Amino acid sequence: MIMPYVLKYWETYFWLFLLLFSSIGLTFFFTWFLQHMIDAAIRRNVSEVRTMLMYGVLFTVLSSLISYFSTYLEAAAVVKVRTDLKNALFHHMMRLPAKYYGSHHSGEMVSRLTNDANGIDGAIGSNMLNVIRLPIMALSAFIYLFQINGKLTVICLALGPIAALSGLVFGKLLRRYSKVVQESLGKLNSFLNDSFAGYTVIRSFTMEKKIYKQYETINGGLMSLEFTLAKLRGWFQAGAGSAGALSFFVCLGVGGHYLMEDSMSVGDLLAFINLVQHLVYPLTGLAGMWGAFQRSVAAMERVQEVFNEPPETRTLPSGEPLPEFKGSIEMKDIRFSYEGQTNALDRFNLMIPAGKVVALVGPSGAGKSTLFNLLMGFYKPQTGTILFDDQPIHLLSSSQLRGCTAYVPQETYLFDGTIRQNIAYGKDGASELELIRAAKEANAHEFIMSLPNGYDTEIGERGVRLSGGQKQRLAIARAILKDAPILLLDEATSALDSETEHQVQEALDRLMKERTTIVIAHRLSTIHHADLIAVVDKGRVIEQGTHHELLSKKGLYARLYQIQYSKERDELEMNKSG
Ligand SMILES: Nc1ncnc2c1ncn2[C@@H]1O[C@H](COP(=O)(O)OP(=O)(O)OP(=O)(O)O)[C@@H](O)[C@H]1O
C-alpha cells in the first residue's frame, strides 16, 4: 500500500540511502581513526598523532553534515509520504458510499485519518532505513572485526541468535497490542466527537458527571493497554541492553587477556570494543526496529481497511446536470431495504411531471426520507427503476445525478466559515452578483447585511451564531444558487415565529418555481397548494391526489389532516383564551 507513495519521492530516498551508506563508512573511519590514533600515541609518534588529529577534525565535520542532512531529509520524506497518504485516504473517504457512513462513526473515521495515518511514520522513516542499514552495518562490522581478531569476533557473536529470536517474539506481541491501542483510540475519538457535538443535550440533561465517568473509564482502559505495551517495550529494551552489556564485558575480559598475551594492541582492543556494539546492536536493534515497524504495520492495516472499501465513484463528483433535462421523475415498482431484512420501500410507484410540486405525507418510518436517499443515488433500489425524464438513474454518473438535484434538509447543515462560503457551496465559481441574487431571493440578504461583517461574517461551527430561520434561509440561498432542475425539500419541523415563517415560505416558493419539487411535508397546512399529494405508508403510495380529492376520499390523508387540524385549532383556541 505504502510503496507507490515512497517511490514517488525516490529522489529524497536516494539521498537518504546515500547518506546512510556514508554514515556506515564514517563509523569504520572512526574505528580506524581510534585504532591508529591510540597506537600512534602509545608509540609517541607525534607527527602521526598530528595527522590523525586532522582526520579527527574531518570526521567531526563530516559526521555533523551527515547528521543534519539525514535528519532533515528523513523528516521531509516522512512528511511528504504521510501527506500524500492522508490526501489519498480523504479522497477515498469522500467517494465511499452512504452505506459506509451509515455504519461507521465519524470519530472513528477521523481517527483513521489522524492516529492511524500518523502511526505509519515508523514504516516510512528511520525504521525503514534502519531495517536496511543495520544488516549492512552488522555484516561490515563482522568483516572488520574479524580482521582485527577472528576468535574474539566469534565469541561476541554467540549472543546474537538469542537476541534476534527474542526480538522477533516481542515484535509480534507489540504488533498485536498496538492494533488494540489504535482501535481504542478510534473509539475514544468517536466518544469525544459525540460529547462535543451533543454538548447542549449533555448540559440540558445534566449528563456531565455521567459523560465524564464514561470518558474516565475509556481513558483508563487505554492507559492499561499503554502500560502493557510499555512493559513489553521495557522488557525488550532491558533484554537488548543486557545482551549488549554482556558482549561488552566478554570482549573486555577476553580482549584484556589477549592484550596481556601481546596478541592484540591497545588500539586494536579499543577499536574492537567501539565497533563490537555495531555487531551486537543490529541483532537486538533490528528486532527493536521490527517491533516499531510492526506498530506501524498495525496502523497501516487500519488505514488499508478503509482503502479496501470499494468507492462509489472513480473521481470526486462535480455536479453537472443532464443536458436538456426537463425534470420529470418516475418511480416504478421500487423495492428497497437497508439491511436486506425489512423493506423500507415496497412496490413504490409514483409519477411526477416536470415542474410540478409533489408533497409526500405519511406516518413516521413510512419511507419518505428513504425515497430521497434513492433519488440522490445514495443507495440503489434492489428492484425497480427510477427514471429522470426517460433515463434510468442507475445509468447516470454520480456527478450527473447530483447535478440534477438540490436538497434542502430538515436540519440545515452549515460549515464552519463565512456566510459567503456557505452559500457559495451551491455553485462552483459563483460570481458575487449571483451570490447576492440568491441571498435576496432567499430573503436572506437583509439579515446578512445587518451583521457586522455582512457576507464575511463567520458563522461558527454548524452556524451556532445564527437563528433557526436564518440558517434555513442560507440553506435555501445555497439551493437557489445551485439552480438544479429537481428540488428535494425536507420541510423543517421546528416552529418559527409567523414573520420568519412567512419569509422562509416566500423564499421556498421562489425556489420551487418552475422546478420539479418533492417536499416531505410534516405540517399538512403548508401543502394545500401542491399539485399532487402522495400518501406513503409502509413503503408504498397508498393514495394520491390533490388536497380536496384526498379529503373527499376519507382515507389516511383525511384522518391525518383531521388530527392535525383539530390539534392546531385547539392550540389556536388556547392561545386566544390565554
Ligand atoms: N440508514 C438506515 N439504516 C437502516 N434502516 C434505516 C435507515 N434509515 C431508515 N431506516 C429504516 O427505514 C424505514 C423508513 O425510514 P425513513 O427514514 O425513510 O422514514 P420517514 O418516512 O422519512 O420517517 P420520518 O417522517 O420519521 O422521518 C424505517 O423503518 C427506518 O427504521
Side-chain angles (χ1 to χ4, degrees), residues 490-502:
D490 197 348
E491 199 186 60
T493 42
S494 53
L496 301 171
D497 66 80
S498 40
E499 169 62 17
T500 317
E501 166 106 45
H502 173 71

Side-chain angles (χ1 to χ4, degrees), residues 19-188:
L19 288 167
L20 187 144
F21 287 113
S22 312
S23 85
I24 293 176
L26 215 58
T27 307
F28 291 102
F29 177 49
F30 181 72
T31 308
W32 174 87
F33 163 77
L34 199 67
Q35 197 177 2
H36 289 82
M37 172 78 193
I38 300 288
D39 284 344
I42 288 172
R43 285 198 306 273
R44 294 172 200 279
N45 185 339
V46 180
S47 74
E48 200 182 336
V49 166
R50 265 201 208 118
T51 318
M52 290 313 291
L53 279 176
M54 298 289 284
Y55 282 128
V57 173
L58 182 67
F59 168 80
T60 314
V61 173
L62 283 178
S63 100
S64 314
L65 285 175
I66 289 177
S67 172
Y68 168 76
F69 283 110
S70 328
T71 310
Y72 170 71
L73 284 178
E74 188 202 319
V78 167
V79 169
K80 283 192 234 177
V81 172
R82 201 205 302 136
T83 307
D84 276 5
L85 179 79
K86 282 184 176 183
N87 285 345
L89 187 60
F90 190 66
H91 191 272
H92 187 80
M93 282 174 164
M94 286 285 104
R95 292 179 294 125
L96 286 175
K99 197 171 176 184
Y100 184 85
Y101 284 84
S103 55
H104 289 79
H105 198 291
S106 56
E108 166 70 26
M109 291 172 74
V110 170
S111 189
R112 306 249 175 174
L113 255 173
T114 51
N115 297 327
D116 295 327
N118 290 340
I120 64 155
D121 286 10
I124 53 176
S126 57
N127 284 325
M128 183 175 99
L129 297 174
N130 273 321
V131 165
I132 297 164
R133 189 176 76 92
L134 293 178
I136 300 173
M137 187 70 219
L139 190 68
S140 336
F142 176 78
I143 295 167
Y144 199 108
L145 287 170
F146 204 82
Q147 276 178 355
I148 300 176
N149 193 312
K151 259 199 246 163
L152 195 53
T153 311
V154 173
I155 293 170
C156 291
L157 207 60
L159 286 167
I162 307 164
L165 194 74
S166 66
L168 283 180
V169 174
F170 273 106
K172 227 179 192 157
L173 284 173
L174 282 173
R175 177 170 170 179
R176 190 184 308 157
Y177 272 94
S178 301
K179 197 153 186 198
V180 181
V181 168
Q182 297 292 100
E183 277 164 10
S184 302
L185 279 173
K187 285 192 190 122
L188 183 67

